[in-house]
């Protein structure tokens, strides 16, 4: 019998996301998007053109075999579809939620040229979330007797850990906090990435045999020499994250009530300040909250402020919405929930009220000039355009600098920004030390950090196993 | 989990815990701190290492009951476990000069004590100035008194113990008589600020151990930022010790007061909780 050729459902509209109503969800921390049903997924999978040369795959930093897993969805082979993704990406539930798909897989999808691309991110997260239903952890090769230490349990560290564990390495992840996930836990809010999912992914790694050592600050509690000489590790992967926040360096920035996003989000996400006083960590609940920045972190902070009960949340950005680096979905969700975007504004100073807390922000209007090194048009201040707005909580989300712990931990060469120098495989100047993620690239995306972890894992494997031979 | 091996009560509100933590014991230095999260709902609170023993694998820290976390800690006993302890964090204390004044005020005495002890062990000539509002709040007197000090001065605001007045009185005398080469201070902001002004008058270098509010303690969140010499520094990774003559004290005082209302609400909530359980 001849095989029936697949015929895509050309012209079908993109299956919409199942989102909670904006006016309801903006007041609590429940997930914004509840994800596709199986029927949604099959309908969406039927839109895929199953291209001979799938461009979507070129757009994926870790090379997920996208048409193949979509084909398995059409066949309702859920376990097979999940296994296909997991061969390249151990964290589909996370990536499906936080990747900037519009710049990656979906951005390359042919369907996107004339209409809406296939919702690859939605399909990916849906499969990831089915892990418990379909079961089966990927199998590990037998132990090869080599030990690898990984510093940091964020996306890069856990990607590297997963790859190495599957290859039969004995892997230990050292994490400074009391729980795993790095930025997935302290940074990305519950309503965008439920912590249960991060916990499940960590548990999955434990089932692969990865050990997690919490409360373990690299460079202070141990260093590379100790790991190699006393603890018998053969290689070290540094994935400590970008770390230190940048500040605006304007007057009044240290007033109480002015937060940097890392603190605002850590108090909320990691320490559950929104449940104060049941949880001990407090956070200031503002009525008028102003967030500075245009990235995902700024969106997360603005939407968190709404959920902490703010009456008005303004997101001030020095360029325009079109230049914002945030995922389109996050900007869309933020606006839908009531975040007001104030374009072309730069803060000049924060002023205190009678209680000593920030009460007013002075801003300056900007206009866009010639493109700068990033290719985006450079914002230029407009003379005599100062104005003030009320504000009782301000959050700055303008990026990060290098974390100093990498240097304390191992003797590796740094560049002039304090980031670790590596080759394309993550090798540092120290022959037993690899590095990847934000401490190499500066603040970037979850998937790029994961990609770096995966590459380093492959290189560590090759190096350590060839030493043996 | 971190097991409490020994609990010592120094006075009504001051306690010392010895905790099993072999790796930390191996790497701790004077002036460094640890962060405690007592249980699942707990806050992360920094304490300075009071002592450590790498052979026996324990560390010690001293705390005074001032808020909810320290109240809950004081209710734990030998054999109980603390959920999380992270450390050592921060840079070790480095003090120049052979003759050092160690000035501690209020709860800061719990930090001043291990520093004074370490300096004595290093063979330096140490003069200690202890300050508190009154006799009952003057903690660790016996511990300081047992150190081989050059001088031990005590000042209380109400004169209930030692000299009536503030720590800068004996500090000024030490400076005037050319008895010290350098100074280390830790305590309330006004005390550190005026100790700094006194030392500056006599061109004596002074280091302050700062205690801003912290959340992560590893340089990630920026909560503990302080202005030092016109630069934004993080007490958790750049400090906690800084050249006191460069610190913006008013800025620090404002930031320390950020959660006064919440701290009161937290202890009230805890007391009501305890009352319910009784």
């Amino acid at each position: 019998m001849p095989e029936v050729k697949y015929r895509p459902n050309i012209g079908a509209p993109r299956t919409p996301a199942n989102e909670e109503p904006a006016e309801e969800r903006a007041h609590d921390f429940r997930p914004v998007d509840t994800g596709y049903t199986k029927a949604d997924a099959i309908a969406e999978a039927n839109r895929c053109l199953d291209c001979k040369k799938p461009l979507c795959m070129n757009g994926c930093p870790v090379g997920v075999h996208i048409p193949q897993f979509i084909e398995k969805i059409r066949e309702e082979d859920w376990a097979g579809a999940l296994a296909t993704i997991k061969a390249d990406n151990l964290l589909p539930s996370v990536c499906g939620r936080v990747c900037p798909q519009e710049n990656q897989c979906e951005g390359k999808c042919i369907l996107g040229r004339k209409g809406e691309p296939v919702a690859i991110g939605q399909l990916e997260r849906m499969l990831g979330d089915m892990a418990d239903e379909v079961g089966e952890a990927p199998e590990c090769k037998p132990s090869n007797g080599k030990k690898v230490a990984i510093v940091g349990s964020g996306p890069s560290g856990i990607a590297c850990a997963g790859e190495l564990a599957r290859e039969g390495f004995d892997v230990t992840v050292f994490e400074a906090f009391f729980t795993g996930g790095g930025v997935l836990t302290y940074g990305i809010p519950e309503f965008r990435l439920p912590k249960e999912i991060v916990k499940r992914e960590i548990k999955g790694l434990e089932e692969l045999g990865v050990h997690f050592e919490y409360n373990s600050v690299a460079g202070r509690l141990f260093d590379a020499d100790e790991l190699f000489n006393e603890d018998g590790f053969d290689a070290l992967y540094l994935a400590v994250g970008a770390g230190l926040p940048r500040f605006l360096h304007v007057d009044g920035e240290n007033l109480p009530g002015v937060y940097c996003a890392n603190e605002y989000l850590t108090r909320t996400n990691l320490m559950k300040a929104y449940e104060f006083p049941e949880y001990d960590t407090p956070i200031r609940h503002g009525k008028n909250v102003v967030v500075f920045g245009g990235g995902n972190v700024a969106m997360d902070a603005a939407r968190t402020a709404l959920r902490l009960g703010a009456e008005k949340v303004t997101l001030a950005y020095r360029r325009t919405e079109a230049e914002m680096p945030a995922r389109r979905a996050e900007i869309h969700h933020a606006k839908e929930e009531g975040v007001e975007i104030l374009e072309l504004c730069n803060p000049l100073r924060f002023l205190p009220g009678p209680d000593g807390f920030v009460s007013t922000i002075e801003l300056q209007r900007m206009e866009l000039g010639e493109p700068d090194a990033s290719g985006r048009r450079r914002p230029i201040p407009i003379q005599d355009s100062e104005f003030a707005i009320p504000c009782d909580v301000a959050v700055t989300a303008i990026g990060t600098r290098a974390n100093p712990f990498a240097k304390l931990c191992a003797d590796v060469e740094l560049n002039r920004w304090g980031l670790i120098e590596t080759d394309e495989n993550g090798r540092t100047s120290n022959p037993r030390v690899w590095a990847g993620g934000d401490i190499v690239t500066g603040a970037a995306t979850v998937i790029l950090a994961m990609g770096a972890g995966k590459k380093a894992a492959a290189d560590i494997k090759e190096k350590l196993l060839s030493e043996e031979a | 989990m971190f097991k409490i091996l020994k609990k010592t009560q120094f006075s009504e509100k001051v306690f010392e815990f010895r905790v099993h933590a072999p790796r930390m014991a191996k790497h701790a230095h004077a002036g460094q701190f640890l962060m405690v999260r007592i249980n699942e709902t707990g806050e992360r609170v920094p304490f300075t290492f009071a002592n450590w023993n790498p052979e026996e694998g324990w560390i010690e820290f001293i705390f005074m009951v001032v808020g909810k976390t320290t109240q809950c800690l004081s209710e734990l006993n030998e054999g109980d476990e603390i959920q999380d302890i992270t450390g050592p964090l921060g840079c070790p204390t480095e003090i120049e000069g052979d003759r050092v004044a160690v000035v501690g005020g209020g709860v800061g005495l719990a930090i001043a004590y291990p520093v004074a002890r370490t300096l004595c062990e290093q063979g330096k000539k140490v003069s200690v100035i202890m300050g508190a509002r009154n006799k009952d709040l003057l903690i660790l007197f016996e511990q300081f008194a047992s150190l081989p000090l050059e001088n031990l001065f005590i000042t209380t605001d109400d004169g209930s113990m030692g000299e009536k007045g503030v720590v800068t009185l004996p500090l000024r005398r030490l400076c005037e008589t050319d008895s010290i080469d350098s100074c280390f201070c830790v305590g309330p902001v006004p005390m550190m600020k005026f100790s700094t002004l006194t030392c500056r008058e006599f061109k004596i270098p002074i280091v302050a151990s700062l205690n801003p509010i912290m959340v992560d303690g590893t340089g990630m969140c920026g909560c503990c930022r302080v202005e030092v010499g016109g630069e934004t520094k993080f007490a958790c990774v750049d400090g906690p010790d800084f050249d006191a003559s460069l610190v913006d004290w008013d800025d620090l005082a404002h930031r320390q007061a950020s959660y006064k209302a919440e701290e009161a609400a937290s202890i009230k909530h805890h007391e009501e909780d305890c009352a319910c359980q009784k």
Side-chain angles (χ1 to χ4, degrees):
Chain A
M1 200 171 78
E3 202 176 308
V4 181
K5 198 175 175 301
Y6 163 61
R7 301 176 77 106
N9 188 0
I10 294 171
R14 179 168 158 130
T15 313
N18 294 311
E19 292 170 0
E20 298 281 334
E23 60 278 10
E24 288 175 27
R25 71 179 194 235
H27 304 291
D28 57 42
F29 283 81
R30 77 177 111 146
V32 163
D33 180 338
T34 52
Y36 273 180
T37 61
K38 284 182 183 171
D40 290 335
I42 294 165
E44 192 59 16
N46 276 312
R47 295 181 64 229
C48 174
L49 299 179
D50 200 18
C51 304
K52 274 213 178 91
K53 288 181 185 166
L55 295 177
C56 50
M57 270 186 72
N58 299 345
C60 177
V62 296
V64 168
H65 288 69
I66 295 166
Q68 284 83 344
F69 88 70
I70 292 181
E71 186 182 1
K72 292 209 162 35
I73 292 177
R74 283 195 298 270
E75 293 165 356
E76 297 185 48
D77 172 10
W78 306 106
L82 179 60
T84 304
I85 295 189
K86 284 213 165 180
D88 299 299
N89 178 356
L90 274 171
L91 306 176
S93 289
V94 174
C95 293
R97 284 173 171 84
V98 304
C99 270
Q101 286 94 6
E102 67 265 28
N103 303 328
Q104 299 178 355
C105 51
E106 294 182 24
K108 303 261 178 171
C109 175
I110 296 283
L111 282 180
R113 291 190 186 168
K114 281 192 176 159
E116 290 279 332
V118 174
I120 299 166
Q122 286 280 359
L123 296 175
E124 182 184 29
R125 66 166 268 189
M126 188 258 176
L127 289 172
D129 291 355
M130 288 179 73
D132 289 336
E133 190 180 322
V134 301
E136 295 289 292
E139 276 184 28
C140 291
K141 290 187 182 162
S143 167
N144 59 32
K146 299 282 183 185
K147 281 177 77 175
V148 181
I150 292 175
V151 177
S153 69
S156 202
I158 55 184
C160 187
E163 296 290 334
L164 289 171
R166 289 202 285 201
E167 294 294 336
F169 288 84
D170 179 354
V171 181
T172 302
V173 178
F174 295 93
E175 165 58 47
F177 275 133
F178 53 81
T179 185
V183 72
L184 306 176
T185 296
Y186 73 74
I188 301 175
E190 179 77 19
F191 56 82
R192 190 146 82 86
L193 177 63
K195 299 313 146 210
E196 280 309 310
I197 288 174
V198 181
K199 288 209 170 88
R200 192 192 69 206
E201 301 297 0
I202 301 271
K203 196 167 146 259
L205 289 175
E206 285 172 344
E207 283 163 7
L208 289 179
V210 177
H211 312 281
F212 284 84
E213 297 264 351
Y214 296 110
N215 295 309
S216 298
V217 180
R220 288 288 183 213
L221 191 65
F222 59 87
D223 60 24
D225 286 344
E226 197 175 329
L227 292 177
F228 294 139
N229 302 333
E230 294 175 33
D231 300 320
F233 285 98
D234 300 291
L236 168 63
Y237 181 62
L238 293 173
V240 297
L244 294 90
R246 280 183 195 282
F247 286 92
L248 295 159
H249 300 291
V250 299
D251 280 354
E253 193 170 17
N254 292 339
L255 287 173
V258 183
Y259 289 91
C260 91
N262 279 5
E263 180 187 351
Y264 196 68
L265 293 173
T266 301
R267 282 181 181 272
T268 313
N269 300 329
L270 181 73
M271 304 309 295
K272 300 213 173 8
Y274 58 91
E275 296 195 29
F276 180 87
E278 266 64 43
Y279 280 72
D280 293 344
T281 304
I283 193 161
R284 185 165 164 84
H285 293 246
K287 279 191 182 134
N288 268 304
V289 180
V290 183
V291 178
F292 295 95
N296 290 321
V297 177
M299 300 300 152
D300 288 343
R303 297 169 71 197
T304 294
L306 283 176
R307 286 159 175 80
L308 290 173
E311 288 166 12
K312 184 176 159 108
V313 178
T314 308
L315 192 130
Y317 184 53
R318 60 198 191 122
R319 293 183 164 100
T320 70
E321 196 183 311
E323 286 86 24
M324 283 185 179
R327 290 175 87 210
R328 291 298 113 181
E330 306 311 324
I331 300 174
H332 166 72
H333 284 148
K335 286 164 72 174
E336 205 178 46
E337 289 167 9
V339 172
E340 288 184 32
I341 295 186
L342 191 58
E343 297 179 322
L344 294 165
C345 280
N346 212 31
L348 291 176
R349 63 185 65 85
F350 299 92
L351 300 167
D355 59 358
F357 283 82
V358 65
S359 72
T360 308
I361 302 182
E362 273 181 32
L363 301 132
Q364 182 175 40
R365 299 238 179 247
M366 312 292 277
E367 59 188 346
L368 292 182
E370 295 299 310
D372 63 11
S374 71
R376 296 180 302 174
R377 292 174 67 194
R378 186 194 304 270
I380 303 166
I382 300 175
Q383 291 297 315
D384 302 319
S385 66
E386 292 81 7
F387 66 106
I389 54 173
C391 153
D392 52 2
V393 165
V395 184
T396 60
I398 56 165
T400 52
R401 294 184 290 138
N403 183 318
F405 280 99
K407 186 69 186 175
L408 286 173
C409 184
D411 185 19
V412 289
E413 217 165 276
L414 306 181
N415 67 19
R416 63 192 171 108
W417 298 281
L419 300 168
I420 301 176
E421 287 279 3
T422 69
D423 70 5
E424 71 278 8
N425 291 317
R427 285 192 192 192
T428 70
S429 59
N430 184 324
R432 295 167 88 179
V433 182
W434 282 253
D438 284 4
I439 191 58
V440 170
T441 56
T445 59
V446 167
I447 190 71
L448 282 174
M450 286 184 57
K454 203 176 144 177
K455 262 192 181 161
D459 200 52
I460 290 169
K461 176 190 164 197
E462 198 190 308
K463 177 95 182 294
L464 294 190
L465 297 187
S466 68
E467 273 174 4
E468 190 120 305
Chain B
M1 300 291 263
F2 292 80
K3 192 170 189 173
I4 300 169
L5 302 174
K6 193 174 150 198
K7 178 182 183 181
T8 312
Q9 185 162 10
F10 291 136
S11 62
E12 190 201 341
K13 292 198 162 184
V14 181
F15 299 84
E16 182 180 71
F17 279 168
R18 176 176 294 183
V19 175
H20 179 70
R23 199 149 201 166
M24 235 182 286
K26 208 168 130 191
H27 290 270
H29 296 89
Q32 288 187 306
F33 65 93
L34 49 91
M35 292 196 83
V36 166
R37 190 180 74 135
I38 190 168
N39 54 30
E40 197 54 43
T41 58
E43 196 172 6
R44 283 162 64 85
V45 180
F47 298 100
T48 300
F49 282 97
N51 203 355
W52 52 92
N53 186 322
E55 286 75 39
E56 296 176 15
W58 51 256
I59 56 110
E60 290 176 341
F61 64 96
I62 297 169
F63 62 93
M64 180 169 171
V65 176
V66 290
K68 179 178 170 187
T69 300
T70 44
Q71 175 64 44
C72 292
L73 270 178
S74 74
E75 289 159 15
L76 296 179
N77 290 303
E78 275 172 29
D80 289 344
E81 289 183 321
I82 295 172
Q83 180 135 355
D84 299 293
I85 301 183
T86 311
L89 296 167
C91 302
T93 294
E94 283 175 25
I95 306 285
E96 291 172 15
D98 287 333
R99 300 169 306 160
V100 186
V102 174
V103 183
V107 187
L109 287 164
I111 300 169
Y113 169 64
V115 172
R117 199 196 64 229
T118 307
L119 293 173
C120 288
E121 285 164 8
Q122 291 169 0
K124 300 201 185 220
K125 296 188 170 67
V126 181
S127 298
V128 167
I129 304 172
M130 303 174 68
R133 288 212 304 278
N134 59 49
K135 183 173 184 260
D136 293 337
L137 295 172
L138 194 105
I139 62 171
L140 301 171
F141 169 70
E142 284 165 32
Q143 285 67 35
F144 277 106
S146 69
L147 296 175
L149 303 175
E150 292 291 299
N151 298 288
L152 178 60
F153 302 99
I154 291 161
T155 66
T156 49
D157 293 358
D158 63 354
S160 55
M161 190 170 174
E163 195 174 341
K164 183 174 182 334
V166 290
V167 293
T168 47
L169 297 172
L171 180 60
R172 174 169 290 278
R173 292 200 296 274
L174 287 173
C175 292
E176 280 168 350
T177 53
D178 190 23
S179 307
I180 54 171
D181 306 315
S182 63
C183 181
F184 171 90
C185 72
V186 54
V189 166
M191 187 220 96
M192 292 194 281
K193 179 177 174 179
F194 285 100
S195 298
T196 304
L197 293 176
T198 303
C199 284
R200 185 187 287 168
E201 230 179 278
F202 296 91
K203 298 195 168 58
I204 303 278
I206 174 166
V207 166
S209 175
L210 304 187
N211 46 357
I213 300 168
M214 288 185 186
V215 182
D216 79 304
T218 59
M220 185 274 283
C221 86
C223 177
C224 68
R225 63 188 186 270
V226 288
E227 291 300 300
V228 182
E231 282 182 65
T232 304
K233 297 280 187 185
F234 297 154
C236 66
V237 287
D238 300 319
D241 293 355
F242 293 98
D243 178 343
S245 64
L246 300 176
V247 172
D248 183 335
W249 297 109
D250 297 340
D251 196 87
L252 176 64
H254 282 138
R255 291 191 61 75
Q256 279 183 342
S258 297
Y259 295 100
K260 279 271 180 281
E262 288 82 358
E263 283 160 15
S266 187
I267 191 88
K268 183 160 177 274
H269 178 81
H270 176 63
E271 280 161 5
E272 284 166 3
D273 228 31
C274 293
C276 291
Q277 286 165 13
K278 272 171 196 167

